[in-house]
Amino acid sequence: MDCSAAPSPQEKKFLRLAMLIFVALLLLTRLPVLCHESESHPDERHFFQSSVSLRDKLLGEADTYRVSKVYPEGGFVLQLPFQTADYLLSRLMGWEQNPRLWGRIASLAYFAAGGVLGMMIVWRFLTRRRAALVLYGLIVVFSLYYIEHSRYGTGDAPSFLLLMAMVYAAGRFLEEGKRRWLFLSGMAAGMMAAVKYPQLYFVCLPAAALAFSRREEGGPKRGLWGGVATLAGAVLLGALMLSPSLLVWPGYLWEAVSRETTAYMSNGAALSAAEHLAALLVYHLLYADVPFAPVICCWMVVRLVRRTRGKQSALRCFFARALPAAAGVFAAYNLFVGLMVLRTYNPFFALCLLYTAWGLSELAASRRGRAVCAALCLFMAARGGMLLSALAGPSQSENIESILMADAHWPEHTDVMYMGTYYDTIRMGEFPRLEPGEYAVTMAFEHGLARRGILGGGAQQPIVRGWEAFQRENERYLLRRLYPAWYDWAFGYWVPGSTGAQFEFPSIYLYYRGFEGA
């Protein structure tokens, strides 16, 4: 971790070239698949509708601003520039507005910026190994987790950018001792909290940077309270900048927190902390980015801690202790959240990736390690390429009607039952009966709405038992599944908490019960 020397002109040129290639590769891989199953993610609608409402209020097109759902507003506000661009271009060019698409474009832009900042963190604060820079960019482009979550028009991509901005600014503060970097880090923390309230936790990073800066020999010994005031003011400013409703109605905060607490902590389909841990470990080990990523990450952190024993610079201590500890505590906290969704670990994956890329570059320093590193990266890139290729195909959920009409039994059918209209009763395990002459189109139950935990938890949930019973009773009537089942195993959608079987390749089944033997 020797990055203290000023980079040479050749190193600066390499950094700029690497970032340019990264952005180009990211756009080349994401833009062709940006609209795949764009109607599947229910949360996206709340983001772009709320952002459009805010835009119309600011432009005088509407009298009031109303959120589509009481939710932290940071993601709504951060889509605002892109929804405004959609509005202006539609006026200039005469085409129809597409706020859902522009919400996804916003996420891709923020994700690309976050990836660039991540590369700068690796290069400036961790290692000058060129391999680390290349590996970081490669993982971000071809990671299964990031291929999925860089496309959704939600708060995940903006959170990734703000976390990287917070870490970068904290590092610059420790490097230069200038309080403006502490202010920027704190403001990023406040903005990140405005996107998702539990992410206020990460204010611990600029706070840790402030604490480490005062311990360092030759560091500032005065102005502690001034630093605390600067940080607190920056966090508050960042949060309020992206929370317009709080400025006129403070009660919005309590209502949003109450709704989120109910949704995540009191979820009826809750799995145990052991199930959470099993799912997180399996997904991170086998699917999230390179295989065995958490092993490589932990190995690198342990090596770094050993290197920084004794008196070390505040900057080294921050990256050796504060960042890994913050990631670990955040992951541990999420193990006890009722709802198991892997995207809630988004900051954890982002911080681990910094050390995984660094660890891979260290591994590649030896001939045998280079072969292992190459094998892991080639496997990851090949699997990511498979996912991108699959995403480039048609959105089958938009073709369900044409699939049914092409079936030989269509002329004789009596009805089409869409199970989404029965969801309130299905959640209680009361699945409808398939009648003679009737088609059935299920929801994404398999590895989605009705899933068991890896350790067997959740098997007694009514919706799980109901779905398994429905499958057994109607197995002979099955026509097809919308997407191949092997996608779930190849891309990790079978792991509890993954959302791929719901939003990327919905695990929808089509049934038809004929009149024979009715």
Side-chain angles (χ1 to χ4, degrees), residues 104-378:
R104 291 198 164 196
I105 291 173
S107 284
L108 180 57
Y110 290 129
F111 183 77
V116 167
L117 275 174
M119 296 178 80
M120 294 174 66
I121 291 169
V122 170
W123 185 255
R124 189 177 189 100
F125 304 121
L126 300 183
T127 178
R128 289 285 167 79
R129 288 181 183 271
R130 295 187 177 188
L133 201 62
V134 172
L135 288 165
Y136 181 88
L138 189 69
I139 294 172
V140 171
V141 170
F142 289 106
S143 153
L144 295 183
Y145 178 81
Y146 283 127
I147 288 174
E148 178 180 356
H149 292 280
S150 62
R151 297 171 52 253
Y152 297 146
T154 61
D156 294 335
S159 294
F160 174 62
L161 168 61
L162 292 168
L163 178 62
M164 293 297 101
M166 185 198 318
V167 173
Y168 180 79
R172 291 294 297 268
F173 168 68
L174 289 171
E175 190 178 60
E176 301 176 13
K178 296 179 179 177
R179 195 167 287 178
R180 67 168 180 264
W181 289 112
L182 178 65
F183 181 85
L184 290 174
S185 185
M187 191 163 70
M191 294 171 75
M192 191 175 172
V195 175
K196 292 185 179 181
Y197 293 149
Q199 294 179 158
L200 179 62
Y201 160 82
F202 285 100
V203 75
C204 69
L205 293 178
L210 178 61
F212 278 126
S213 72
R214 293 183 57 79
R215 288 178 52 193
E216 185 171 20
E217 187 175 349
K221 300 300 180 185
R222 294 179 299 172
L224 170 64
W225 295 112
V228 171
T230 298
L231 179 57
V235 171
L236 182 61
L237 177 62
L240 291 178
M241 281 175 59
L242 300 187
S243 305
S245 291
L246 285 181
L247 300 175
V248 295
W249 178 39
Y252 183 93
L253 175 64
W254 174 250
E255 185 172 345
V257 169
S258 299
R259 195 203 67 81
E260 288 296 284
T261 302
T262 301
Y264 283 90
M265 299 300 293
S266 305
N267 187 270
L271 295 175
S272 68
E275 289 283 9
H276 278 241
L277 181 60
L280 178 63
L281 287 177
V282 169
Y283 187 77
H284 202 185
L285 274 168
L286 302 180
Y287 294 105
D289 38 75
V290 294
F292 310 111
V295 176
I296 298 168
C297 174
C298 291
W299 170 71
M300 192 63 236
V301 169
V302 169
R303 290 191 68 185
L304 183 56
V305 169
R306 287 176 177 174
R307 290 178 188 176
T308 55
R309 283 178 177 172
K311 285 194 173 181
Q312 293 290 340
S313 69
L315 183 63
R316 289 192 175 199
C317 291
F318 177 76
F319 282 97
R321 293 175 173 80
L323 229 60
V329 172
F330 182 77
Y333 150 77
N334 275 280
L335 296 178
F336 299 92
V337 172
L339 183 63
M340 176 59 193
V341 184
L342 286 171
R343 68 172 179 266
T344 60
Y345 294 92
N346 187 41
F348 171 75
F349 289 131
L351 294 177
C352 286
L353 181 52
L354 298 171
Y355 298 94
T356 301
W358 187 10
L360 283 170
S361 72
E362 295 274 326
L363 187 66
S366 66
R367 180 178 298 179
R368 185 175 297 179
R370 200 155 37 243
V372 172
C373 179
L376 292 175
C377 291
L378 284 173

Side-chain angles (χ1 to χ4, degrees), residues 33 36-38 40-41 104 144 147-149 151-152 387 390-391 394-396 483 487 493 499-507:
V33 302
H36 182 82
E37 293 292 355
S38 61
S40 297
H41 200 311
R104 291 198 164 196
L144 295 183
I147 288 174
E148 178 180 356
H149 292 280
R151 297 171 52 253
Y152 297 146
L387 176 55
L391 288 170
S395 299
Q396 295 289 4
Y483 290 102
Y487 283 10
Y493 300 156
T499 51
Q502 292 177 257
F503 307 146
E504 295 287 86
F505 303 102
S507 56

Side-chain angles (χ1 to χ4, degrees), residues 446-509:
E446 188 94 341
H447 306 308
L449 298 170
R451 69 167 83 210
R452 293 171 177 257
I454 291 177
L455 304 179
Q460 298 306 312
Q461 293 175 22
I463 191 171
V464 174
R465 290 188 285 106
W467 168 242
E468 291 176 352
F470 181 87
Q471 282 186 298
R472 288 193 300 270
E473 293 168 7
N474 299 285
E475 183 178 4
R476 62 188 181 278
Y477 306 133
L478 177 63
L479 291 178
R480 59 170 290 184
R481 178 175 153 156
L482 207 57
Y483 290 102
W486 65 265
Y487 283 10
D488 296 337
W489 297 95
F491 306 135
Y493 300 156
W494 67 273
V495 180
S498 171
T499 51
Q502 292 177 257
F503 307 146
E504 295 287 86
F505 303 102
S507 56
I508 293 173
Y509 282 79

